[in-house]
């Protein structure tokens, strides 16, 4: 797929729904490497991506995942999920048009009990606090006990929300992206009742 084609899909979707898409520019390779390189991919069998957009992280995740694993990429926009289905030929990818809030049901429908990792670029700063809380509650519930949630965000709205639901949250900042982004690695999900 050409970069021009990905850019035109993401620009069109950004102009249609700026609050949902957050940025007209796909994630840079600097952001992708900074976020994904610290992860030990050999152990991961089920990875979920929220808001794959045109798929710069989706492709990089698939490059790192082992054979026989599964990547469930969930995006609200059918234009993005169709773009992924048309441009990525990989049996490990399942592209689903839905909201991230439905992650528990989506995994159940595909006979996947829990996720080893969630990667998200959906903009928590422009959605309602209620929706953000529902998405992160579902994320903490669906992750394995040793699972992790990785996030890249233009603003730091998500930071206190992660601190409530994860026992260990590390962060960094990447300048070489349009726009520059906060990165988060949240581990030790706290389950209801913890
Ligand atoms: C900043 S874009 C990320 C795009 C992609 N990672 C990239 O670098 O091109 C945010 C994406 O989140 C999706 N999105 C927003 N809210 C969502 C939700 N509640 N559930 C699933 N996807 C959502 C948007 O449709 C958009 O594709």
């Amino acid at each position: 797929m050409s970069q021009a084609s990905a850019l035109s899909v993401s620009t069109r979707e950004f102009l249609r729904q700026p609050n949902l898409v957050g940025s007209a520019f796909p994630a840079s390779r600097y952001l992708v490497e900074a976020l994904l390189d610290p992860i030990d991919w050999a152990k991961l069998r089920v990875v979920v991506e929220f808001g794959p957009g045109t798929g710069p992280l989706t492709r990089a995740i698939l490059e790192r995942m082992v054979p026989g694993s599964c990547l469930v990429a969930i995006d609200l926009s059918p234009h993005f999920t169709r773009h992924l289905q048309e441009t990525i030929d990989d049996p490990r990818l399942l592209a689903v048009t839905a909201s991230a809030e439905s992650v528990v049901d989506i995994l159940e429908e595909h006979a996947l009990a829990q996720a080893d990792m969630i990667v998200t670029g959906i903009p928590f700063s422009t959605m309602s606090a209620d929706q953000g809380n529902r998405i992160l509650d579902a994320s903490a519930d669906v992750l394995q006990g040793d699972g992790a949630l990785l996030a890249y965000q233009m603003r730091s709205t998500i930071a206190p929300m992660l601190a409530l639901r994860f026992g260990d949250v590390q962060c960094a900042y990447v300048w070489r992206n349009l726009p520059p982004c906060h990165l988060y690695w949240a581990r030790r999900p706290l389950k209801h009742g913890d």
Side-chain angles (χ1 to χ4, degrees):
M1 179 210 44
S2 74
Q3 282 190 338
S5 138
L7 192 59
S8 78
V9 176
S10 71
T11 305
R12 199 178 55 221
E13 285 304 283
F14 176 68
L15 293 175
R16 250 174 28 92
Q17 313 221 58
N19 281 350
L20 285 185
V21 176
S23 166
F25 300 103
S28 73
R29 92 177 148 84
Y30 304 103
L31 182 155
V32 171
E33 287 171 4
L35 188 67
L36 302 184
D37 281 357
I39 302 301
D40 177 3
W41 293 87
K43 293 187 201 144
L44 308 186
R45 293 293 174 275
V46 179
V47 175
V48 177
E49 184 182 5
F50 295 156
T54 55
L57 277 110
T58 317
R59 290 180 182 79
I61 292 168
L62 287 167
E63 278 168 19
R64 290 161 170 78
M65 287 177 69
V66 296
S69 56
C70 177
L71 171 58
V72 184
I74 303 172
D75 203 295
L76 267 180
S77 162
H79 299 281
F80 283 136
T81 45
R82 193 165 53 238
H83 179 80
L84 295 183
Q85 284 155 350
E86 287 172 356
T87 58
I88 301 180
D89 180 18
D90 190 319
R92 297 171 301 167
L93 175 65
L94 185 63
V96 179
T97 306
S99 174
E101 286 154 279
S102 314
V103 61
V104 174
D105 292 341
I106 293 167
L107 290 198
E108 260 177 36
E109 276 162 28
H110 294 90
L112 300 166
Q114 287 199 291
D116 297 306
M117 196 170 77
I118 295 175
V119 181
T120 178
I122 61 177
F124 284 82
S125 56
T126 54
M127 70 179 71
S128 73
D130 278 353
Q131 187 182 19
N133 285 325
R134 283 196 301 273
I135 291 172
L136 292 177
D137 282 342
S139 299
D141 277 346
V142 90
L143 280 168
Q144 303 273 12
D146 60 353
L149 182 146
L150 278 48
Y152 60 101
Q153 298 281 300
M154 282 188 279
R155 300 195 181 80
S156 55
T157 313
I158 198 173
M161 301 164 85
L162 290 176
L164 285 175
R165 295 171 177 87
F166 292 85
D168 173 20
V169 181
Q170 294 174 3
C171 54
Y173 197 69
V174 59
W175 289 98
R176 294 169 92 180
N177 189 68
L178 263 178
C181 267
H182 300 271
L183 306 184
Y184 298 92
W185 296 265
R187 296 186 172 84
R188 291 206 283 116
L190 307 174
K191 308 290 177 184
H192 281 112
D194 279 1

